[in-house]
Each structure stands twice: as C-alpha cells, then as structure tokens.
Amino acid sequence: KNEVEQSPQNLTAQEGEFITINCSYSVGISALHWLQQHPGGGIVSLFMLSSGKKKHGRLIATINIQEKHSSLHITASHPRDSAVYICAARLIQGAQKLVFGQGTRLTINP
Amino acid sequence: DTGVSQDPRHKITKRGQNVTFRCDPISEHNRLYWYRQTLGQGPEFLTYFQNEAQLEKSRLLSDRFSAERPKGSFSTLEIQRTEQGDSAMYLCASSSPREEQYFGPGTRLTVT
C-alpha cells in the first residue's frame, strides 16, 4: 500500500461541475501539498496546508489531520482546469521530502 | 525570472552514454531536492541537499547516479551508463526550511 493514495485516478466532468479529488496518507506529516501538473511536465504548487482549509479563487483545499485525509475541490470547473492534480505529503523527519500520490488526471469538457 | 530553472529541458541519449542535468534553485533557498517521475506515476524522491551537503539519498539512486551541489547554489545530477529504465522526467525543487517546495520545469530524459 502506498503511503499516499489519491482517488479517483481519472476524472472526466462537464464544464461547470463541482470537482472533488481525495487524498489519504499513512505517514506522519508536517504539511500536505496539492500540486498541478500540465502536459509537458511543469509542476505548480497550489496549496500547502497543515490544518483546516485554504481557498484560492475557485480552488479549495481541506485537511483532516485526525483522519489523515485531504480533499481538493474545484468550483465552477472550466476546461483550462484540465491537468493532473497531485497530493504530496511532506514528512516530519529529516529532509522533509515529499511523498507523492500517483496523481488524478482531470479532464473538463466544454 | 527568479524561479527554479533546469537544463536541458529534453535529452535524448543512447543506452550506455553518460548524461548530466543542471538545476538552478531560487537563490535564497538552502534546500534542494531531486525527484524522478516515470510516465503515469507521481514523482519519487531521489536525493536532498541542505546547502552543499547531500543529507539523504533514496534507494532508487543506484551507484550509476551521482549528485552534487558544490557551492550550495546550483546542483548537477549525473547518470552514468544510462539504461532504458532511466527514461523519465527528472524534477528539481528548492525551498527554505519549513516552506513549500518550488519546482523547476523538469528535464525529460529518453534513453534509446
């Protein structure tokens, strides 16, 4: 079992729909990152959170430390939101390296 | 541009050749990470530098791989005697302590 699990692996929706991507982790973390990766490979950090909820535009990220679970929500989805969304757990120990989920490929159709 | 930069962006090489990638982190960041991402998977940790010291290496980093950060600024990742299984995207990230990591655009390696 991977230390960071995401679901679903693939998600296709129509423009305007409310999107939820889930992330569960089994390791001790100092923070949980949500990242966006477009074709071509570049990774952009969307959120880093260690408790509660953060909002940026149409994106909302929540984390429940007790349940070791985080969600990324997209409201009023748009085709330009199509990308791979990756959650990554920043470990408490040592290098504080990131342990990544396998990613969720999101496709928003017009 | 003050982000993380990587060079080259793409590299095609024949099996058995050596390749070297470069990462220039954000200038005030003392932490530098290398990750590898194969097709359809999330990135995996390779190695970590704090200033010029390489403090952690993954089991994924075989003896054909070596990384350096000689002056605590840019870093290089060298792969000797490349194999087809080395084909991947190599990502560099930098950060300050307890801050988020900023990623470079990656170097896509194809070994033929």
Side-chain angles (χ1 to χ4, degrees), chain A residues 40, chain B residues 8-12 106-109:
Chain B
R9 296 290 304 277
H10 303 273
K11 178 72 177 177
I12 300 174
T107 294
R108 184 172 297 281
L109 173 67

Side-chain angles (χ1 to χ4, degrees), chain A residues 1-107:
Chain A
K1 186 174 173 8
N2 293 335
E3 293 172 306
V4 179
E5 296 272 358
Q6 278 184 246
S7 63
Q9 289 192 20
N10 293 281
L11 179 56
T12 300
Q14 291 299 121
E15 183 173 356
E17 287 189 37
F18 182 82
I19 303 298
T20 296
I21 299 171
N22 295 300
C23 176
S24 297
Y25 55 92
S26 58
V27 291
I29 70 168
S30 61
L32 193 289
H33 295 248
W34 281 101
L35 309 165
Q36 182 190 58
Q37 187 171 35
H38 281 282
I43 289 180
V44 174
S45 179
L46 299 174
F47 295 103
M48 183 182 74
L49 65 165
S50 53
S51 65
K53 175 175 157 179
K54 286 190 175 181
K55 184 176 189 290
H56 185 258
R58 294 180 295 106
L59 301 178
I60 303 166
T62 64
I63 188 167
N64 184 317
I65 298 294
Q66 286 74 29
E67 295 186 3
K68 295 191 171 182
H69 182 269
S70 177
S71 293
L72 176 69
H73 306 285
I74 305 175
T75 62
S77 58
H78 190 276
R80 65 175 174 266
D81 297 327
S82 299
V84 175
Y85 292 84
I86 304 172
C87 74
R90 191 173 77 186
L91 301 185
I92 291 176
Q93 300 93 344
Q96 298 187 343
K97 65 192 179 194
L98 296 179
V99 178
F100 296 81
Q102 70 271 45
T104 295
R105 182 173 298 278
L106 175 66
T107 303

Side-chain angles (χ1 to χ4, degrees), chain B residues 47-88:
Chain B
T47 190
Y48 156 69
F49 290 85
Q50 185 168 305
N51 300 311
E52 66 276 9
Q54 186 176 21
L55 297 184
E56 189 168 339
K57 293 197 295 186
S58 163
R59 292 189 308 272
L60 295 174
L61 219 62
S62 76
D63 56 5
R64 296 185 298 106
F65 288 71
S66 62
E68 294 183 341
R69 195 182 182 197
K71 298 180 181 177
S73 56
F74 73 91
S75 175
T76 58
L77 178 68
E78 182 183 15
I79 309 174
Q80 297 182 325
R81 305 181 303 281
T82 51
E83 302 173 356
Q84 287 187 320
D86 298 331
S87 295

Side-chain angles (χ1 to χ4, degrees), chain B residues 85-100:
Chain B
D86 298 331
S87 295
M89 175 76 83
Y90 290 84
L91 294 160
C92 175
S94 70
S95 77
S96 298
R98 292 180 298 280
E99 298 297 321
E100 64 184 299

Side-chain angles (χ1 to χ4, degrees), chain B residues 9 15 17 23 25 27-28 32 40 50 70 73:
Chain B
R9 296 290 304 277
R15 189 177 55 186
Q17 297 295 305
C23 171
S27 58
E28 58 266 31
L32 187 147
Q50 185 168 305
S73 56

